[in-house]
PDB file of all heavy atoms in Angstrom:
ATOM      1  N   SER A  33     -52.866  76.761  20.472  1.00  0.00           N
ATOM      2  CA  SER A  33     -54.086  77.461  20.409  1.00  0.00           C
ATOM      3  C   SER A  33     -54.989  77.204  21.577  1.00  0.00           C
ATOM      4  O   SER A  33     -56.096  77.759  21.740  1.00  0.00           O
ATOM      5  CB  SER A  33     -54.773  77.557  19.074  1.00  0.00           C
ATOM      6  OG  SER A  33     -53.847  77.880  18.143  1.00  0.00           O
ATOM      7  N   GLY A  34     -54.641  76.187  22.514  1.00  0.00           N
ATOM      8  CA  GLY A  34     -55.455  75.835  23.601  1.00  0.00           C
ATOM      9  C   GLY A  34     -56.358  74.709  23.448  1.00  0.00           C
ATOM     10  O   GLY A  34     -57.051  74.282  24.406  1.00  0.00           O
ATOM     11  N   PHE A  35     -56.340  73.968  22.277  1.00  0.00           N
ATOM     12  CA  PHE A  35     -57.012  72.769  22.080  1.00  0.00           C
ATOM     13  C   PHE A  35     -56.447  71.516  22.765  1.00  0.00           C
ATOM     14  O   PHE A  35     -55.159  71.426  22.606  1.00  0.00           O
ATOM     15  CB  PHE A  35     -57.240  72.500  20.627  1.00  0.00           C
ATOM     16  CG  PHE A  35     -58.225  73.529  20.034  1.00  0.00           C
ATOM     17  CD1 PHE A  35     -57.692  74.585  19.475  1.00  0.00           C
ATOM     18  CD2 PHE A  35     -59.584  73.381  20.017  1.00  0.00           C
ATOM     19  CE1 PHE A  35     -58.516  75.620  18.830  1.00  0.00           C
ATOM     20  CE2 PHE A  35     -60.327  74.360  19.432  1.00  0.00           C
ATOM     21  CZ  PHE A  35     -59.848  75.454  18.869  1.00  0.00           C
ATOM     22  N   THR A  36     -57.189  70.641  23.403  1.00  0.00           N
ATOM     23  CA  THR A  36     -56.606  69.553  23.964  1.00  0.00           C
ATOM     24  C   THR A  36     -56.970  68.178  23.223  1.00  0.00           C
ATOM     25  O   THR A  36     -56.431  67.191  23.446  1.00  0.00           O
ATOM     26  CB  THR A  36     -57.022  69.361  25.456  1.00  0.00           C
ATOM     27  OG1 THR A  36     -58.450  69.378  25.538  1.00  0.00           O
ATOM     28  CG2 THR A  36     -56.551  70.556  26.361  1.00  0.00           C
ATOM     29  N   GLN A  37     -58.033  68.311  22.399  1.00  0.00           N
ATOM     30  CA  GLN A  37     -58.425  67.219  21.722  1.00  0.00           C
ATOM     31  C   GLN A  37     -58.746  67.685  20.207  1.00  0.00           C
ATOM     32  O   GLN A  37     -59.139  68.864  19.966  1.00  0.00           O
ATOM     33  CB  GLN A  37     -59.725  66.581  22.154  1.00  0.00           C
ATOM     34  CG  GLN A  37     -59.521  65.780  23.322  1.00  0.00           C
ATOM     35  CD  GLN A  37     -60.786  65.093  23.784  1.00  0.00           C
ATOM     36  OE1 GLN A  37     -61.785  65.775  24.118  1.00  0.00           O
ATOM     37  NE2 GLN A  37     -60.783  63.728  23.682  1.00  0.00           N
ATOM     38  N   VAL A  38     -58.537  66.870  19.213  1.00  0.00           N
ATOM     39  CA  VAL A  38     -58.989  67.036  17.824  1.00  0.00           C
ATOM     40  C   VAL A  38     -59.709  65.902  17.312  1.00  0.00           C
ATOM     41  O   VAL A  38     -59.567  64.858  17.789  1.00  0.00           O
ATOM     42  CB  VAL A  38     -57.734  67.427  17.004  1.00  0.00           C
ATOM     43  CG1 VAL A  38     -57.046  68.841  17.331  1.00  0.00           C
ATOM     44  CG2 VAL A  38     -56.637  66.329  16.898  1.00  0.00           C
ATOM     45  N   TYR A  39     -60.586  66.214  16.366  1.00  0.00           N
ATOM     46  CA  TYR A  39     -61.508  65.250  15.862  1.00  0.00           C
ATOM     47  C   TYR A  39     -61.301  65.333  14.325  1.00  0.00           C
ATOM     48  O   TYR A  39     -61.140  66.480  13.646  1.00  0.00           O
ATOM     49  CB  TYR A  39     -62.947  65.505  16.203  1.00  0.00           C
ATOM     50  CG  TYR A  39     -63.148  65.324  17.733  1.00  0.00           C
ATOM     51  CD1 TYR A  39     -63.017  66.455  18.541  1.00  0.00           C
ATOM     52  CD2 TYR A  39     -63.510  64.095  18.224  1.00  0.00           C
ATOM     53  CE1 TYR A  39     -63.130  66.306  19.844  1.00  0.00           C
ATOM     54  CE2 TYR A  39     -63.641  63.919  19.576  1.00  0.00           C
ATOM     55  CZ  TYR A  39     -63.572  65.081  20.380  1.00  0.00           C
ATOM     56  OH  TYR A  39     -63.724  64.993  21.734  1.00  0.00           O
ATOM     57  N   LEU A  40     -61.521  64.313  13.513  1.00  0.00           N
ATOM     58  CA  LEU A  40     -61.593  64.288  12.078  1.00  0.00           C
ATOM     59  C   LEU A  40     -62.406  63.170  11.614  1.00  0.00           C
ATOM     60  O   LEU A  40     -62.829  62.210  12.332  1.00  0.00           O
ATOM     61  CB  LEU A  40     -60.076  64.115  11.556  1.00  0.00           C
ATOM     62  CG  LEU A  40     -59.309  62.988  11.942  1.00  0.00           C
ATOM     63  CD1 LEU A  40     -59.599  61.733  11.066  1.00  0.00           C
ATOM     64  CD2 LEU A  40     -57.858  63.310  11.860  1.00  0.00           C
ATOM     65  N   TYR A  41     -62.715  63.185  10.297  1.00  0.00           N
ATOM     66  CA  TYR A  41     -63.322  61.960   9.537  1.00  0.00           C
ATOM     67  C   TYR A  41     -62.540  61.743   8.341  1.00  0.00           C
ATOM     68  O   TYR A  41     -62.078  62.731   7.730  1.00  0.00           O
ATOM     69  CB  TYR A  41     -64.771  62.199   9.356  1.00  0.00           C
ATOM     70  CG  TYR A  41     -65.233  63.197   8.481  1.00  0.00           C
ATOM     71  CD1 TYR A  41     -65.356  62.951   7.188  1.00  0.00           C
ATOM     72  CD2 TYR A  41     -65.382  64.611   8.767  1.00  0.00           C
ATOM     73  CE1 TYR A  41     -65.658  63.779   6.107  1.00  0.00           C
ATOM     74  CE2 TYR A  41     -65.954  65.427   7.843  1.00  0.00           C
ATOM     75  CZ  TYR A  41     -66.005  65.015   6.634  1.00  0.00           C
ATOM     76  OH  TYR A  41     -66.410  66.056   5.581  1.00  0.00           O
ATOM     77  N   THR A  42     -62.482  60.515   7.970  1.00  0.00           N
ATOM     78  CA  THR A  42     -61.813  60.173   6.669  1.00  0.00           C
ATOM     79  C   THR A  42     -62.366  58.858   6.084  1.00  0.00           C
ATOM     80  O   THR A  42     -62.968  58.053   6.801  1.00  0.00           O
ATOM     81  CB  THR A  42     -60.245  59.930   6.969  1.00  0.00           C
ATOM     82  OG1 THR A  42     -59.704  59.687   5.761  1.00  0.00           O
ATOM     83  CG2 THR A  42     -60.011  58.823   7.948  1.00  0.00           C
ATOM     84  N   SER A  43     -62.315  58.823   4.890  1.00  0.00           N
ATOM     85  CA  SER A  43     -62.873  57.698   4.074  1.00  0.00           C
ATOM     86  C   SER A  43     -61.543  57.138   3.201  1.00  0.00           C
ATOM     87  O   SER A  43     -61.654  56.067   2.622  1.00  0.00           O
ATOM     88  CB  SER A  43     -63.993  57.881   3.167  1.00  0.00           C
ATOM     89  OG  SER A  43     -63.588  58.933   2.231  1.00  0.00           O
ATOM     90  N   THR A  44     -60.456  57.847   3.351  1.00  0.00           N
ATOM     91  CA  THR A  44     -59.267  57.363   2.526  1.00  0.00           C
ATOM     92  C   THR A  44     -57.975  57.350   3.295  1.00  0.00           C
ATOM     93  O   THR A  44     -56.977  56.568   2.870  1.00  0.00           O
ATOM     94  CB  THR A  44     -59.021  58.399   1.369  1.00  0.00           C
ATOM     95  OG1 THR A  44     -58.811  59.649   1.963  1.00  0.00           O
ATOM     96  CG2 THR A  44     -60.206  58.507   0.347  1.00  0.00           C
ATOM     97  N   ALA A  45     -57.780  57.804   4.475  1.00  0.00           N
ATOM     98  CA  ALA A  45     -56.376  57.876   5.094  1.00  0.00           C
ATOM     99  C   ALA A  45     -56.577  57.423   6.577  1.00  0.00           C
ATOM    100  O   ALA A  45     -55.709  57.884   7.397  1.00  0.00           O
ATOM    101  CB  ALA A  45     -55.883  59.320   5.099  1.00  0.00           C
TER     102      ALA A  45
END
Side-chain angles (χ1 to χ4, degrees):
S33 298
F35 292 91
T36 58
Q37 285 184 298
V38 289
Y39 299 87
L40 59 84
Y41 69 91
T42 184
S43 61
T44 59

